Amino acid sequence: MNGTPPNSIAGSGASAWNERMKLIRFRRKRENLRFWNEFKLIPRWVITLVVFLYLIAQGIAAVINLDVFHVQPDHQIFPLELHNNPALASVALAGIVTVMSVMFAIIIFLAVYVNQDAKRRGMNSAVWTLVVLILMPGYLVLGFIIYMLMREPLPYPCPKCSTTVGAKFNFCPNCKTNLHPACPQCKQEIAETDRYCPYCAYELSQPQPEPSITG
């Protein structure tokens, strides 16, 4: 039997998880995401379709409401105060339709955003879209929150040759630049633009000692 203690296996798994989350947070520092730029990931045809369906829902609600007033005045869905005021009842119904439409639009936009964002990050877009949709009815935006915590960092330009490299790359495939620079003193990963190590305050701009050559 394998003599590795279960606690040791669990500890190694937790350590790997922490290292992964640390790398994701580090790579996300390169990203400069803005709401409207991210919203542009949603195709225009999706936005147009949502608006079109909203207008159709408003039209159907208005027709049904007026039809009930004229044909079946005793079967009203509103309080008695609105029975004799079809215009006010139509406004109230339009408000209900608007609230429901906004909720459905948010669900659609979140699912489409996850699908498009996962594609540009090299993730399985179909799986993550399905996760968001499955968790949406019972847990609201839980699936979206999980995706935001777990999504891979965006590809970024190599600091030396500007070739687009993946967030998981260790070296640039074009110029072999080390994409995971480390502090010479504490060996923690740092950013190329750091002047001081954020972990041990080592001055990164000072010249490194050259290895001595013995004859």
Side-chain angles (χ1 to χ4, degrees):
M1 286 182 63
N2 189 349
T4 305
N7 292 338
S8 177
I9 298 176
S12 62
S15 177
W17 170 262
N18 291 333
E19 288 298 321
R20 172 180 170 78
M21 296 306 298
K22 178 182 175 182
L23 176 61
I24 288 177
R25 288 193 296 267
F26 176 78
R27 291 302 178 193
R28 282 180 181 168
K29 292 180 181 179
R30 304 173 184 271
E31 302 178 9
N32 185 22
L33 305 180
R34 300 182 182 276
F35 174 79
W36 287 114
N37 290 335
E38 295 300 289
F39 188 77
K40 291 178 182 178
L41 286 178
I42 302 174
R44 289 188 177 182
W45 69 266
V46 174
I47 300 175
T48 303
L49 179 62
V50 169
V51 174
F52 179 71
L53 294 177
Y54 166 72
L55 295 177
I56 289 180
Q58 287 287 14
I60 293 175
V63 170
I64 293 177
N65 183 58
L66 294 177
D67 183 68
V68 169
F69 264 102
H70 293 298
V71 180
Q72 296 177 324
D74 295 332
H75 297 80
Q76 297 293 326
I77 61 175
F78 296 107
L80 294 175
E81 293 80 2
L82 300 180
H83 279 193
N84 297 323
N85 195 333
L88 190 59
S90 296
V91 172
L93 186 57
I96 295 175
V97 172
T98 298
V99 171
M100 297 298 296
S101 298
V102 169
M103 294 176 61
F104 280 109
I106 291 175
I107 293 174
I108 294 173
F109 288 160
L110 288 181
V112 173
Y113 172 79
V114 167
N115 183 273
Q116 297 296 314
D117 187 61
K119 287 180 181 178
R120 67 172 178 168
R121 295 174 185 271
M123 303 169 64
N124 192 321
S125 58
V127 170
W128 280 108
T129 304
L130 192 61
V131 168
V132 171
L133 291 176
I134 290 176
L135 295 179
M136 189 72 72
Y139 301 96
L140 300 178
V141 296
L142 178 61
F144 181 74
I145 294 174
I146 293 175
Y147 169 75
M148 295 296 288
L149 293 175
M150 295 295 299
R151 65 179 182 175
E152 299 288 346
L154 284 171
Y156 60 95
C158 169
K160 184 175 181 180
C161 67
S162 299
T163 299
T164 300
V165 294
K168 296 180 179 179
F169 291 5
N170 292 323
F171 294 90
C172 174
N174 185 56
C175 65
K176 295 195 297 186
T177 296
N178 183 9
L179 300 175
H180 295 264
C183 171
Q185 180 165 289
C186 67
K187 308 305 180 185
Q188 294 283 350
E189 190 171 9
I190 57 175
E192 294 85 355
T193 56
D194 289 342
R195 295 180 57 189
Y196 297 91
C197 175
Y199 303 100
C200 68
Y202 180 79
E203 185 177 358
L204 301 172
S205 58
Q206 61 180 310
Q208 302 299 316
E210 295 183 0
S212 58
I213 301 176
T214 57

mmCIF file of all heavy atoms in Angstrom, residues 64 80 84 87 102 154:
data_model
loop_
_atom_site.group_PDB
_atom_site.id
_atom_site.type_symbol
_atom_site.label_atom_id
_atom_site.label_comp_id
_atom_site.label_asym_id
_atom_site.label_seq_id
_atom_site.Cartn_x
_atom_site.Cartn_y
_atom_site.Cartn_z
ATOM 1 N N ILE A 64 -53.674 42.244 -24.435
ATOM 2 C CA ILE A 64 -54.405 41.392 -23.490
ATOM 3 C C ILE A 64 -55.094 42.237 -22.431
ATOM 4 O O ILE A 64 -56.260 41.994 -22.067
ATOM 5 C CB ILE A 64 -53.451 40.372 -22.838
ATOM 6 C CG1 ILE A 64 -52.954 39.372 -23.888
ATOM 7 C CG2 ILE A 64 -54.131 39.652 -21.685
ATOM 8 C CD1 ILE A 64 -51.953 38.381 -23.352
ATOM 9 N N LEU A 80 -58.913 47.069 -7.419
ATOM 10 C CA LEU A 80 -60.154 47.706 -7.845
ATOM 11 C C LEU A 80 -59.949 49.137 -8.316
ATOM 12 O O LEU A 80 -60.685 49.640 -9.167
ATOM 13 C CB LEU A 80 -61.164 47.682 -6.680
ATOM 14 C CG LEU A 80 -61.658 46.291 -6.241
ATOM 15 C CD1 LEU A 80 -62.554 46.415 -5.012
ATOM 16 C CD2 LEU A 80 -62.410 45.616 -7.384
ATOM 17 N N ASN A 84 -61.380 50.907 -13.493
ATOM 18 C CA ASN A 84 -62.008 51.906 -14.347
ATOM 19 C C ASN A 84 -60.990 52.818 -15.022
ATOM 20 O O ASN A 84 -61.368 53.882 -15.529
ATOM 21 C CB ASN A 84 -62.995 52.748 -13.520
ATOM 22 C CG ASN A 84 -64.126 51.903 -12.966
ATOM 23 O OD1 ASN A 84 -64.604 50.978 -13.640
ATOM 24 N ND2 ASN A 84 -64.561 52.206 -11.740
ATOM 25 N N ALA A 87 -55.848 53.003 -18.905
ATOM 26 C CA ALA A 87 -54.540 53.581 -19.208
ATOM 27 C C ALA A 87 -53.563 53.352 -18.054
ATOM 28 O O ALA A 87 -52.410 52.953 -18.260
ATOM 29 C CB ALA A 87 -54.680 55.077 -19.494
ATOM 30 N N VAL A 102 -36.113 42.801 -17.782
ATOM 31 C CA VAL A 102 -34.762 43.133 -17.315
ATOM 32 C C VAL A 102 -34.106 41.918 -16.673
ATOM 33 O O VAL A 102 -32.915 41.634 -16.899
ATOM 34 C CB VAL A 102 -34.817 44.317 -16.326
ATOM 35 C CG1 VAL A 102 -33.472 44.491 -15.620
ATOM 36 C CG2 VAL A 102 -35.182 45.604 -17.056
ATOM 37 N N LEU A 154 -6.197 36.801 -19.307
ATOM 38 C CA LEU A 154 -6.155 37.054 -20.744
ATOM 39 C C LEU A 154 -4.745 36.872 -21.293
ATOM 40 O O LEU A 154 -3.760 37.102 -20.579
ATOM 41 C CB LEU A 154 -6.613 38.482 -21.040
ATOM 42 C CG LEU A 154 -8.099 38.781 -20.978
ATOM 43 C CD1 LEU A 154 -8.331 40.278 -21.081
ATOM 44 C CD2 LEU A 154 -8.838 38.056 -22.091
#
